Amino acid sequence: MLIRAGTLVDAAGQRPGDLRVGADGRIAELGQALAPRPDEPAVDAHGCLVVPGGIDVHTHMHLPVGAVRVSDDFASGTRAAAVGGTTTVIDYVTTYRGQDPLAAMETWRRWAQPSAVDWGLHMTFTGAVDEATVAACVEAGVTSFKLYMAYPQLLQVDDGVIVDVMRMAARHGGLVTLHCENGGAVEALRRQALTEGRTGVIEHATTRPALLEGEATARAAVLAEVVGCPVYVVHVSSAPALAAVRAAQERGVAVLAETCPQYLYLDVGRLAGDDGAAFVCTPPLRDPWHAEELWEGLRQGWLHTVATDHCPFWLADRRAGTRGRAAGYADFTELLGGLPGIETRLALVWEGVRAGRLTPADWVRLCAEAPARVFGLWPGKGHLGVGADADIVVWDPRRTQALDADRLHMAADHSPYAGRTVTGWPALVLSRGRVVARDGHFVGEAGWGRFVARTPRG
């Protein structure tokens, strides 16, 4: 295929040009006024941007949560990803205490086989692990390890485990990713709220204040500094957490960080409505002024990526809560946390370009280039270079798209952005040279996606 007369945008900048996709599914040639070859399909990209396929490095698909399961499996979730311009996802393997992480990884690999786009895995540890397990993960191409500083009854590890995993990860070229909230303090605030009879949805936010996200982020950075291990802070939602990231970076600590569209566009007021349970995520939505700080963090490069933390649920499951109660959840501690977002990420960040907050190059950096570099997918993915996978999006900056649930492809019967229309949407999406989405419709097939083994950090 020859993609002609578009504006190429990647780490090398923005320039007019053509792009040829080879028969091997890789980028074969870049240039201007490339001549079509006999029988070679040509795509007119005039007025459009030609960019690397998006890479979403934070998803949760097929995940069991209490008595229910998230509503998107790998087949449906990656279909939606493709329509929205994301051509690679990295999903989190969750291992609960007492489970074998390597066995859990094989379960996730089996679940992911129907993926319509390429996929990788992160490993989550919820207790102490030996070095052989870390080494086996890296050998299998799973080079990042998530640790929780929250949810003490289920997922949280103490600082000693964090230090030990950081040391092992550093020795094997791995990257530690961290959910940063002070879990002990949060649990104390939750108990206090229940004792005082405060049980509504809004208490999910009041018992998880931004200061406790900031404290945990600062602590994670100190531990990384002591050990000498790079770390990656997931779903930064607040100004205190961003300030901790920036302070660590300025003293030379290798702290990388992501935020998510929900923290850029939604605020805590959503939790006070009748449908507040449909807006629960962790960390919680914040007061609107935090979003302004996060946009500045993206512009300045203190935040490196925009991911989604894609974790959708059917509304009926949200009403039943983590215990699956027919009568509905008893209080805010039983709320299911997570929002759909894998399809809408590129468009929502592009809205930041339209508003003058970011440049088109920033958009590509945050959604494709930096995720590839940070997580060992570069140079095969995340840029427009000869020999890279032809994961290509032809982005039409004039196309409008409503973000209501019935206009999207995620397995969700509600949308956090219902009533919003964005301007900018993929006209064409290629995964390794194959068209998987066209004009807002999925045209790929289940199982096309391949597992991507990621390279250790140097």
Side-chain angles (χ1 to χ4, degrees), residues 220-241:
V222 168
L223 298 179
E225 186 174 13
V226 168
V227 175
C229 174
V231 295
Y232 178 94
V233 181
V234 301
H235 50 46
V236 171
S237 73
S238 68

Side-chain angles (χ1 to χ4, degrees), residues 58-60 63 65 92-97 123-127 145-159 161-162 165 176-184 208 216 219-220 234-235 282-283 309 311 337:
H58 190 160
T59 67
H60 299 281
L63 176 70
V65 182
Y92 277 96
V93 176
T94 298
T95 54
Y96 296 103
R97 291 181 185 136
M123 177 57 67
T124 302
F125 296 136
T126 54
F145 309 102
K146 186 175 186 180
L147 301 173
Y148 283 85
M149 302 173 78
Y151 306 112
Q153 283 96 17
L154 193 64
L155 300 168
Q156 182 175 330
V157 296
D158 62 29
D159 289 357
V161 171
I162 293 173
V165 173
V176 174
T177 81
L178 291 144
H179 175 127
C180 294
E181 292 181 290
N182 186 316
R208 310 187 89 95
R219 180 157 40 98
V234 301
H235 50 46
T282 306
D309 196 5
C311 190

Side-chain angles (χ1 to χ4, degrees), residues 294-302 356-358 362 365-366:
L294 297 176
W295 279 112
E296 183 66 8
L298 292 172
R299 189 180 73 83
Q300 295 286 354
W302 304 322
R357 296 178 183 272
L358 303 170
D362 289 332
R365 169 176 55 84
L366 293 163

Side-chain angles (χ1 to χ4, degrees), residues 156-309:
Q156 182 175 330
V157 296
D158 62 29
D159 289 357
V161 171
I162 293 173
V163 167
D164 286 343
V165 173
M166 283 181 176
R167 285 174 174 154
M168 291 184 284
R171 285 195 288 268
H172 292 274
L175 179 67
V176 174
T177 81
L178 291 144
H179 175 127
C180 294
E181 292 181 290
N182 186 316
V186 166
E187 290 306 307
L189 293 176
R190 282 155 61 92
R191 289 192 299 269
Q192 179 185 8
L194 294 177
T195 299
E196 295 174 355
R198 295 185 283 115
T199 61
V201 175
I202 193 65
E203 302 304 331
H204 175 71
T206 62
T207 58
R208 310 187 89 95
L211 286 174
L212 293 184
E213 184 188 8
E215 182 278 331
T217 304
R219 180 157 40 98
V222 168
L223 298 179
E225 186 174 13
V226 168
V227 175
C229 174
V231 295
Y232 178 94
V233 181
V234 301
H235 50 46
V236 171
S237 73
S238 68
L242 175 61
V245 167
R246 181 182 176 187
Q249 292 169 352
E250 289 177 348
R251 66 176 188 268
V253 187
V255 177
L256 306 163
E258 75 181 22
T259 193
C260 307
Q262 55 265 36
Y263 302 119
L264 300 172
Y265 287 99
L266 306 176
D267 65 67
V268 68
R270 299 297 187 108
L271 301 184
D274 292 340
D275 60 348
F279 290 89
V280 170
C281 55
T282 306
L285 302 179
R286 306 296 189 187
D287 289 328
W289 66 271
H290 290 273
E292 294 301 317
E293 297 291 317
L294 297 176
W295 279 112
E296 183 66 8
L298 292 172
R299 189 180 73 83
Q300 295 286 354
W302 304 322
L303 294 170
H304 299 80
T305 67
V306 179
T308 61
D309 196 5

Side-chain angles (χ1 to χ4, degrees), residues 70-108:
V70 299
S71 51
D72 257 326
D73 58 19
F74 279 89
S76 63
T78 56
R79 284 198 302 267
V83 173
T86 288
T87 55
T88 305
V89 302
I90 308 182
D91 202 76
Y92 277 96
V93 176
T94 298
T95 54
Y96 296 103
R97 291 181 185 136
Q99 293 182 326
D100 176 6
L102 299 181
M105 180 168 66
E106 290 309 308
T107 296
W108 251 260

Side-chain angles (χ1 to χ4, degrees), residues 31-54:
Q32 294 194 21
L34 298 180
R37 294 171 179 169
D39 300 321
E40 180 181 52
V43 173
D44 182 3
H46 180 75
C48 293
L49 306 183
V50 180
V51 301

